[in-house]
Amino acid sequence: MTDLFTTIVRSPVARKVGVPQPTRLRRYEPGMPLCDGPVLVAGHGRFADGVASWLGGAGVRAVSAPTEAGDKVGAVVLDLSTAIDPAELDQLRLLGAPAVKALKRNGRVVVIGTDPATLTDVAQVTTQRALEGAVRSIGKELRGGATANLVLAQEDAQDGVRSAVEFFLSGRSAYVDGQVVRVDASTTGDADALRPLAGKVAVVTGAARGIGAEIARVLSRDGATVVAVDVPAAGDALAAVANDVKGTALQLDVTADDAGRRIVEHARSRHGGLDVVVHNAGITRDKLFVNMDDDRWRSVMDVNLRSVLRMNEAVLGEGGLSDGGRIVCVASIAGIAGNRGQTNYGASKAGVIGLVEALSRQVADRGITVNAVAPGFIETEMTARIPFATREIGRRMNSLQQGGHPKDVAETIAWLAQPGTGAVTGQVVRVCGQSLLGA
Ligand code: NAD
């Protein structure tokens, strides 16, 4: 979906008079190279050699310094995971600045650090925590669709680092900017690069339209068999999505007491099991706090939060989600930053973040991960209803200076659903182009 503003600024007249053009983001399509150009891998941490070696295996040229003047790179990966003193942060500047200068459009900066939560030495924690401020600031300076993200790894988190670095380098993360992802030392097997979800059964709620329909499409493209869930009133649109992805439709109100049980029964009886659950269904019923009525408050809490808690009980019960399964919730930056007129929505989405943090710990011993994505401004029917001026501001106030597409949210969810993402759990990945809200 292209918005009116983008259509106008991309028009021949606007181009002729020099109106700045929002960069067309390099979004993932199956078979496209991981990166557009060589990847500069620098730094002396625990992971740099491994990254250079698997990049080579994936057919990407890894270089250790900017080559002759003028040579551009598609990405730079800087490993500072063993830095223990703030003086070593100079390396970020000395190695990173020339590389960033050589970055192509839609380039990538990925910094690897050590998760400060796993450290005790004060100087070391200080040093590693500093990386976050630097990377978020680099993200705000980059232009031309380029992004900067940080991977904070535990010791021996080779598989997790690979999964996260691959995601950040690829077009799957086109609208993910200024983010921090923590990876633990979980090990994962290899998956088919083109169809990483082959053999998996995935349920997506709120799949009749918008972000949910796109999640269904992307999960199916990546090999999953999809059960598309939505309310009976959206039955026709739901059937169209289910047919499109060659999956099945389940008409269901997620607030029903038996919603979780029916999802599990449907997935088992029609497809033989359940491996991925995406809680995407959501509503807004905005009103200033002082005027908020019972109905608005309760309906938003019921759909966005209480239904998720209830469905998870059934989904995690006997015969439900397989060991090694994935739960991905859709939160919102309104749950991180708050939003005027959205106390109900902000509370429900912040609650989802709490749920993800707590539940992830409970199910870790089964190899199940629980994560959330927090979309920023995404071009959907939900955001098309926002009054024009507010909508324009929401759409532009991010480092990439444009709204995201439903596909951007779907790609991040599909990554979190992969078997290879077992080292990422209890986290929230914002898909917001580094929105200034809650930054
Ligand atoms: P949307 O309104 O276009 O689609 C939501 C879908 O959920 C609809 O098909 C609807 O029928 C379904 N749904 C609503 N209540 C349901 C219920 N009780 N049972 C089953 N299905 C139900 O919204 P969207 O923009 O695609 O948003 C999807 C998710 O992303 C929501 O959780 C929303 O809060 C979140 N989100 C969206 C944005 C954005 O910019 N669009 C930003 C942040 C978060």
Side-chain angles (χ1 to χ4, degrees):
M1 195 186 291
T2 305
D3 63 88
L4 179 64
F5 181 90
T6 306
T7 309
I8 294 168
V9 296
R10 285 205 177 127
S11 68
V13 177
R15 283 170 191 269
K16 210 166 176 179
V17 296
V19 173
Q21 302 293 308
T23 302
R24 230 175 262 279
L25 302 183
R26 179 180 185 265
R27 293 188 161 90
Y28 174 77
E29 293 296 338
M32 80 170 8
L34 184 63
C35 251
D36 180 20
V39 178
L40 191 147
V41 183
H44 310 290
R46 285 187 295 277
F47 303 103
D49 290 347
V51 170
S53 129
W54 63 252
L55 278 173
V60 179
R61 190 156 69 91
V63 296
S64 54
T67 44
E68 300 104 59
D71 260 12
K72 294 279 186 191
V73 294
V76 46
V77 178
L78 289 175
D79 182 0
L80 286 148
S81 56
T82 49
I84 57 171
D85 186 278
E88 291 178 72
L89 292 169
D90 272 3
Q91 291 300 309
L92 184 66
R93 185 176 56 83
L94 295 171
L95 298 169
V100 167
K101 265 191 201 147
L103 210 55
K104 285 183 161 182
R105 277 173 95 74
N106 278 301
R108 296 285 191 265
V109 176
V110 184
V111 176
I112 305 172
T114 293
D115 187 349
T118 64
L119 302 170
T120 49
D121 179 79
V122 174
Q124 208 174 346
V125 171
T126 308
T127 308
Q128 291 297 326
R129 185 67 178 75
L131 293 177
E132 196 170 321
V135 171
R136 290 192 200 273
S137 302
I138 294 169
K140 290 187 174 173
E141 291 183 11
L142 292 174
R143 287 293 171 258
T147 62
N149 292 287
L150 174 63
V151 179
L152 289 177
Q154 287 183 10
E155 220 166 309
D156 300 327
Q158 316 289 344
D159 285 2
V161 166
R162 175 172 183 164
S163 171
V165 172
E166 249 174 358
F167 171 68
F168 285 133
L169 292 180
S170 80
R172 286 183 185 270
S173 63
Y175 199 60
V176 181
D177 194 7
Q179 293 304 292
V180 180
V181 163
R182 293 180 163 72
V183 294
D184 64 31
S186 302
T187 52
T188 47
D190 284 343
D192 183 325
L194 274 180
R195 290 171 64 80
L197 297 174
K200 304 291 179 192
V201 178
V203 169
V204 183
T205 68
R209 67 177 202 192
I211 295 173
E214 201 55 34
I215 298 168
R217 288 189 195 101
V218 169
L219 294 182
S220 160
R221 178 204 69 195
D222 283 356
T225 302
V226 175
V227 178
V229 174
D230 213 300
V231 287
D236 287 348
L238 183 68
V241 172
N243 286 340
D244 191 26
V245 302
K246 299 185 176 54
T248 54
L250 173 61
Q251 292 187 9
L252 176 83
D253 184 330
V254 295
T255 64
D257 284 345
D258 63 349
R261 182 178 59 76
R262 286 184 56 199
I263 284 174
V264 170
E265 276 174 13
H266 179 102
R268 280 179 71 84
S269 64
R270 301 290 295 274
H271 307 293
L274 177 59
D275 306 292
V276 177
V277 176
V278 183
H279 294 294
N280 162 77
I283 58 169
T284 51
R285 296 287 182 271
D286 298 359
K287 202 78 176 167
L288 287 180
F289 181 52
V290 289
N291 300 325
M292 184 68 70
D293 54 79
D294 208 38
D295 189 47
R296 282 189 171 82
W297 186 268
R298 274 187 206 210
S299 55
V300 167
M301 287 299 169
D302 278 351
V303 176
N304 296 4
L305 184 57
R306 296 185 59 219
S307 73
V308 181
L309 274 168
R310 235 191 343 255
M311 281 187 285
N312 280 344
E313 274 180 33
V315 158
L316 289 166
E318 216 178 303
L321 195 68
S322 59
D323 286 357
R326 303 279 181 259
I327 295 178
V328 189
C329 299
V330 179
S332 167
I333 54 168
I336 296 169
N339 204 14
R340 185 179 152 82
Q342 292 199 317
T343 41
N344 51 355
Y345 186 74
S348 70
K349 295 298 190 180
V352 162
I353 293 172
L355 178 160
V356 157
E357 287 168 359
L359 187 61
S360 62
R361 292 191 285 268
Q362 273 184 25
V363 296
D365 58 346
R366 292 177 55 190
I368 294 173
T369 66
V370 189
N371 291 289
V373 297
F377 188 100
I378 306 297
E379 308 285 354
T380 65
E381 288 178 44
M382 191 187 256
T383 48
R385 287 197 300 268
I386 299 172
F388 179 77
T390 320
R391 190 166 72 233
E392 268 318 304
I393 294 167
R395 178 179 278 150
R396 307 293 152 203
M397 273 179 46
N398 58 70
S399 295
L400 296 171
Q401 299 169 320
Q402 57 193 292
H405 292 186
K407 186 170 188 278
D408 300 324
V409 181
E411 294 286 7
T412 302
I413 289 173
W415 170 62
L416 290 168
Q418 287 180 10
T421 318
V424 181
T425 192
Q427 300 193 46
V428 185
V429 181
R430 291 170 49 158
V431 184
C432 65
Q434 197 177 28
S435 168
L436 300 187
L437 278 184

